[in-house]
Amino acid sequence: MARDDQIYTRYYESARAELIQRIALRDQALMAYVLVIGGYLGFVIHRYGFEFAPPQTCEASALTFPVPIICFLFSLVIIQHHLVINDLAKYLSSEWPRNLDNGVFIVHWDNSETLRSSTTVIQAMRTVAQCSALCVPFLFELFANAKNFLVVGLNCSWMIVLNIIVPLVIFPLIVAIHVYAHWVRVTSSHRVGPLVTRVSQREGATDGCTGGASG
């Protein structure tokens, strides 16, 4: 193997290792979110039950206020990993040279037609599942606080109203960033990569690279 090929191979291995690490970190962040939000809501439900009742409604409503904020912050962390994964996959499928100096054409996983043909479905399933997990806690908070605001009518109604307005503002933000991330991933996977020009040890060569995708 020529020296240039060894350099290109090391770049590929480095980017691939970071991509795998980012996928693991993204899923770990999602699992951490499930544990945090599940434990927090479990504490609130264990203390006040599913239906908050006076005189505990004010305190319970205040305790549910962090729920949408927790969901939004974890969404930002997870989507950040998601977008970096997309950049690494784009580099591996479109920008990394696929022809070795000896003229051997390399079809690897990131630029394979097998992966690209299934990317749209895979990404749609990921987006729906991930977005749902990050938005489901809103339903509990909205139900509890809306019911108390409409029925109970306590002096702390401002807190209940705040717990209705904040989720209604953050919910579309979480959906929007997931839609954006899904659009970026799908469009990148179907985009034809640029021509990569490099000079081999034998002669100058221009290699056409086809865009791919990753998991």
Side-chain angles (χ1 to χ4, degrees):
M1 179 180 289
R3 186 183 176 204
D4 285 347
D5 293 341
Q6 294 177 352
I7 294 175
Y8 296 136
T9 301
R10 290 178 182 176
Y11 271 112
Y12 175 82
E13 292 174 348
S14 177
R16 196 77 175 96
E18 183 177 353
L19 186 148
I20 294 173
Q21 183 182 36
R22 287 282 183 173
I23 292 176
L25 290 173
R26 180 189 62 185
D27 292 342
Q28 289 171 11
L30 184 59
M31 291 302 300
Y33 158 78
V34 172
L35 293 175
V36 170
I37 202 67
Y40 190 82
L41 289 178
F43 163 75
V44 175
I45 294 173
H46 175 74
R47 186 166 182 176
Y48 301 103
F50 283 99
E51 296 185 0
F52 305 154
Q56 300 175 328
T57 303
C58 293
E59 182 182 354
S61 183
L63 284 177
T64 59
F65 180 74
V67 170
I69 299 176
I70 293 173
C71 297
F72 182 66
L73 293 178
F74 270 99
S75 295
L76 294 179
V77 173
I78 293 170
I79 290 298
Q80 184 263 344
H81 286 305
H82 204 63
L83 294 177
V84 174
I85 290 170
N86 173 73
D87 292 338
L88 289 168
K90 182 179 178 182
Y91 164 76
L92 290 170
S93 62
S94 301
E95 300 176 16
W96 187 79
R98 299 189 301 166
N99 284 353
L100 296 177
D101 287 332
N102 58 12
V104 177
F105 179 78
I106 302 176
V107 177
H108 53 85
W109 174 245
D110 297 288
N111 65 13
S112 67
E113 187 63 29
T114 301
L115 177 61
R116 189 170 62 169
S117 62
S118 61
T119 295
T120 302
V121 176
I122 292 174
Q123 291 303 321
M125 294 171 61
R126 173 79 196 196
T127 299
V128 171
Q130 182 173 288
C131 188
S132 299
L134 289 161
C135 292
V136 163
F138 289 104
L139 300 178
F140 167 77
E141 184 185 16
L142 284 172
F143 169 78
N145 288 291
K147 177 185 70 68
N148 284 305
F149 175 71
L150 295 174
V151 178
V152 179
L154 297 175
N155 293 329
C156 64
S157 58
W158 65 270
M159 175 60 73
I160 300 177
V161 172
L162 188 63
N163 279 353
I164 296 174
I165 294 176
V166 172
L168 290 178
V169 172
I170 295 181
F171 176 79
L173 290 178
I174 293 179
V175 174
I177 62 177
H178 275 83
V179 171
Y180 168 75
H182 177 74
W183 176 79
V184 170
R185 297 285 285 113
V186 172
T187 54
S188 295
S189 67
H190 292 287
R191 186 177 302 149
V192 177
L195 293 179
V196 179
T197 305
R198 65 189 182 89
V199 179
S200 66
Q201 292 183 347
R202 295 181 179 180
E203 60 180 356
T206 302
D207 302 330
C209 298
T210 304
S214 76

